[in-house]
Structures are given as C-alpha cells and as structure tokens.
DNA sequence: AATTCTATAATTTTCGAAGATTATTATTGT
DNA sequence: ACAATAATAATCTTCGAAAATTATAGAATT
C-alpha cells in the first residue's frame, strides 16, 4: 500500500469520526506531522476526499473539512432512502444462497459485538456498516453501491456524535436489525423496505434531537 | 485557476470525449508533455477522477482510463433513471419562476445550436448538458445533483461514439426535448417523467445498437 | 525450445526546496 | 484613533530529482 493510499484511509477515517471539526482547515504542515509523510501523498488523498465531498478545497487556500448542517443531513438522509430502498429491492430480487448466508453472518457478527460489554466501538461501527452493505450487496449495481458508500460516510459523520452523547437508549437496535434481516430472508420486499425506512428515520430522529439546529 | 484544476478539467474532458481509449494507460510522462505541466498537478487530477470512477488506479502501476462495457452502461442507465426521475419530481414540486425561465432559456439555446448547420459539436454537448441539468436544478438536493453529474459523465462516454457514427437519425431530438419541457412547465409530473424516461431509453437503444457487445 | 535468472530500462511514488499566493503584523499618514 | 500601505510570515502549489517498484530484454541453463 502506497503512502497516498494510507493517507486516504487515515484521513477519511479521522474525518468521518470527527477527529477534525467541520470546516476546520486541514493544513499540510500539520497533516504531514500527524501522519508522518510529505505533502504529495497528503494532497493526493485530499483531492480524492474532495471528490467524495468529505473535504472542500479553495484555490490557493487549501483544504477544509466539509461543513455540517441539519439541511445537509436531511438531504443525505433522503438520498439514502432513495438509493437503499431501490438497492434493497434489487438485492432481494437477485440475491442467491451465498448472499443470504452473508446477511445472516453479518447480523450474527453485529449482534455479538453489540452485546459485548465495553467492546471496541470501532469494531461495532465496522460490523454495522458491513451488515447494511450486506443487505444491498446483491443488487448488481456498482453505481448504487458506490452511492451507498458515499452517503454512508456522509451520514456517519452525523451519527457518531449522536451515538456518543446517546441518552437512554429507548431503541432495541438489535431487534430492528433482526427484523430487517427476517423480512429480507423471507423475501418480503414491502416489509423489508418499510423496516429499513423506519430504521433510518428513527436514527435520523435521534440525530436531529441531539443536534443543535445549525 | 491552479494547474491541478486545469489538469482535472482537461483530463476529464478528454476522457469523456474518448481521446484516450478505455483501459489505455495514462502515463505521467505522456500527460506531462501533452498538458505541459509537471507530475504533481496531474497526479492530483487523476486522484480526483479515480474517485469519480473515470479512471482506475493500481498501486505502483499507475492510472488507466476506466473500462467500458455494455453491462456498465446498462447499470449507469438504470441509476440515471432512478436519480433523474426522483430529482425531476422534486424539481417540479419546488421550482419557482426563475427555474421555469432557466428551463425555457436552456431549451431555446439548445435548439439554436441543433439547428445551426455545421455548428460546434462541443457547444452542442454543453447546451445539451445544461438543459438536462436545468430540468433537475430546483430539486433542492445537492446529493442528487452530484449523482446526476457523475452519471452524466459516465454515460456521455458511451453516447459520443454513438453520436459520431450516427446513422439515419430517425429521432427528432429537438421535439423530444421540447415535449419534456412542455410537460415540466405544465407541472404534469407523470407525463414529464414518462417522457424523460422514454428519451433516455431511446438514447440507450441507439447506443446499444451501435456498440459491440463487450 | 522453454525457463529461470540477471541486468537494464521505464515508470510510479515520494521528498525537499523553490516559487507563488494569501494572511498577518508593523508602519505610516491623516 | 483609524485607514491605508508596506513588510513579514505563513501557507499552498509546483517542480525536479531521488527512491522504490515494476516491466523489459538478454544471457545462461536445463
């Protein structure tokens, strides 16, 4: 793996996880020290992230972490619902036994981690992402999966602060995931879509309530 | 405008227009001579284009123009229909007078160019793009517009070869655009969607028939 | 003749410095 | 004191060379 690739992975992770505040400048000298590499690989990574809308660039003024706002989040949420319901529909229409098995496996692994007290939160986020991608993986469309990844990263930035300041968890998220998986495996498309939709709308509600109206 | 931005614009244009064959390697020494700049700005542009899926990169083996295939095209087409019908619906629901005026203006400018004998084909492509974007511009979703731009570029690569080898034009494309604009301005959502859909499906048919099944 | 090994060449990737631009501070004048 | 200007510093951008890797060609071996 080249330095530019490492820079991309590290920067992306740190931005999505909120290590840098939104709109804060990403100065090359700082990044160079933080990640232990020269300017070139960092600039390449920043350019990739710019195309993904995680950072913004202004000519001769460098890069910044993209801004966050409630409007931006609502936009990403709506786009997610559009993309994911369609991808889920197609995935359920086309998925084979191996796909079903991967959904079961992802759900199982996710549950193990949610129930593990004091478990690694990074691992939990990874397994959550894996489960949601597994649901859509058989849709057969590279473009839809690409958009899913973009939107997942964009909304993850909002989800994480909400998770950390999570008050009394009124939701049984394991149960929600389980219900979605059940409907998916039963090939009950309308129910699966409705459950997935509810799942996201509830998360959105939690994020809205925990977010200052910017 | 920085050199890296110029490199991005030039490279993107040349790739979309097919100046480089699909899968052909994009060697830095060649590009450096072609565009008259050093490696750094070129690599930055290539990284951005990689994130847009117009080029692919392999560690330590450089960049290539993305491959083309019928399957890829069909995938992009389906994604386009999903994104654009939704964006059109919202645009028609939210668009104000200024938006309507911009649609009329874009259609007018497009017609002028299609009727101009021996006109600049670059200008025609630009106005075509402008018209289709104008239709969606009022949708209010940055994400949907972003996806539209991605998919437009991805499918443009297929459309251009088909246009050049255009046989007897059985279609009256001006009329198709006009009909779409009429339905849009009349706020007849179902009709507008159907017409836009037909418009793309006809273009797709033309491309399929002009393309070796890869 | 085919295969492995070696030497060479071509290419990508990275660094460090120079050039160019923007931001900040100091200075001057009113 | 305030505004405008100049000097300074900080930062981004670009280049050219060095380092690292991959591809190619030729020689040696089986």
């Amino acid at each position: 793996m080249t330095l530019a690739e490492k820079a991309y992975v590290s920067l992306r992770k740190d931005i999505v996880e909120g290590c840098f505040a939104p709109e804060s400048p990403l100065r090359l000298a700082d990044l160079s020290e933080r990640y232990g590499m020269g300017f070139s690989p960092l600039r390449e990574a920043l350019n990739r992230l710019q195309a993904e809308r995680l950072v913004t660039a202004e000519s001769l003024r460098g890069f910044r972490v993209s801004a966050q706002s409630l409007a931006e989040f609502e936009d990403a949420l709506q786009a997610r619902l559009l993309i994911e319901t369609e991808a889920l529909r197609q995935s359920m229409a086309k998925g084979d036994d191996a796909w079903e098995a991967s959904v079961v496996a992802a759900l199982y692994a996710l549950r193990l981690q949610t129930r593990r007290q004091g478990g690694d939160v990074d691992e939990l986020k990874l397994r959550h992402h894996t489960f949601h991608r597994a649901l859509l993986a058989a849709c057969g469309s590279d473009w839809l999966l690409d958009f899913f990844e973009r939107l997942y990263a964009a909304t993850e930035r909002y989800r994480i602060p909400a998770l950390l300041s999570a008050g009394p968890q009124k939701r049984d998220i394991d149960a929600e995931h389980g219900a979605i998986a059940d409907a998916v495996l039963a090939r009950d498309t309308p129910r699966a879509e409705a459950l997935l939709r509810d799942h996201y709308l509830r998360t959105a509600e939690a994020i809205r309530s925990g977010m200052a109206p910017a």
Side-chain angles (χ1 to χ4, degrees), chain A residues 104-150:
Chain A
V104 171
L107 176 67
Y108 181 84
L110 173 58
R111 276 186 164 149
L112 281 182
Q113 193 69 16
T114 56
R115 287 171 186 174
R116 182 132 46 211
Q117 296 296 332
D120 184 1
V121 76
D122 268 15
E123 187 61 30
L124 180 61
K125 285 186 299 192
L126 176 63
R127 294 186 185 188
H128 186 259
H129 182 195
T130 301
F131 171 70
H132 278 286
R133 185 177 41 215
L135 291 175
L136 315 178
C139 75
S141 169
D142 285 348
W143 281 104
L144 291 187
L145 289 175
D146 191 64
F147 294 160
F148 159 73
E149 294 294 348
R150 294 273 157 85

Side-chain angles (χ1 to χ4, degrees), chain A residues 37-59:
Chain A
M37 58 184 71
F39 292 168
S40 309
L42 288 168
R43 286 187 62 88
E44 296 194 12
L46 288 166
N47 274 287
R48 286 176 66 176
L49 293 166
Q50 182 192 5
E52 291 185 30
R53 296 185 47 178
L54 285 172
V55 314
T56 60
E58 222 178 331
S59 267

Side-chain angles (χ1 to χ4, degrees), chain A residues 72-190:
Chain A
E72 242 269 336
F73 170 72
E74 299 290 351
D75 181 12
L77 173 70
Q78 291 305 318
R80 260 191 98 165
L81 289 172
L82 176 70
I83 300 295
E84 294 205 27
T85 52
E86 177 63 23
L88 183 64
R89 198 163 16 221
Q90 293 184 18
S91 203
M92 288 174 67
K94 297 176 187 168
D96 58 7
D97 289 358
W99 167 69
E100 288 193 8
S102 74
V103 169
V104 171
L107 176 67
Y108 181 84
L110 173 58
R111 276 186 164 149
L112 281 182
Q113 193 69 16
T114 56
R115 287 171 186 174
R116 182 132 46 211
Q117 296 296 332
D120 184 1
V121 76
D122 268 15
E123 187 61 30
L124 180 61
K125 285 186 299 192
L126 176 63
R127 294 186 185 188
H128 186 259
H129 182 195
T130 301
F131 171 70
H132 278 286
R133 185 177 41 215
L135 291 175
L136 315 178
C139 75
S141 169
D142 285 348
W143 281 104
L144 291 187
L145 289 175
D146 191 64
F147 294 160
F148 159 73
E149 294 294 348
R150 294 273 157 85
L151 293 166
Y152 193 92
T155 51
E156 185 78 348
R157 288 179 67 201
Y158 294 87
R159 205 164 68 85
I160 287 175
L163 273 185
L164 298 184
S165 72
Q169 276 280 17
K170 294 200 187 77
R171 296 168 65 193
D172 185 346
I173 296 186
D174 262 2
E176 289 183 29
H177 289 140
I180 292 170
D182 285 347
V184 162
L185 296 174
R187 310 278 174 159
D188 184 342
T189 306

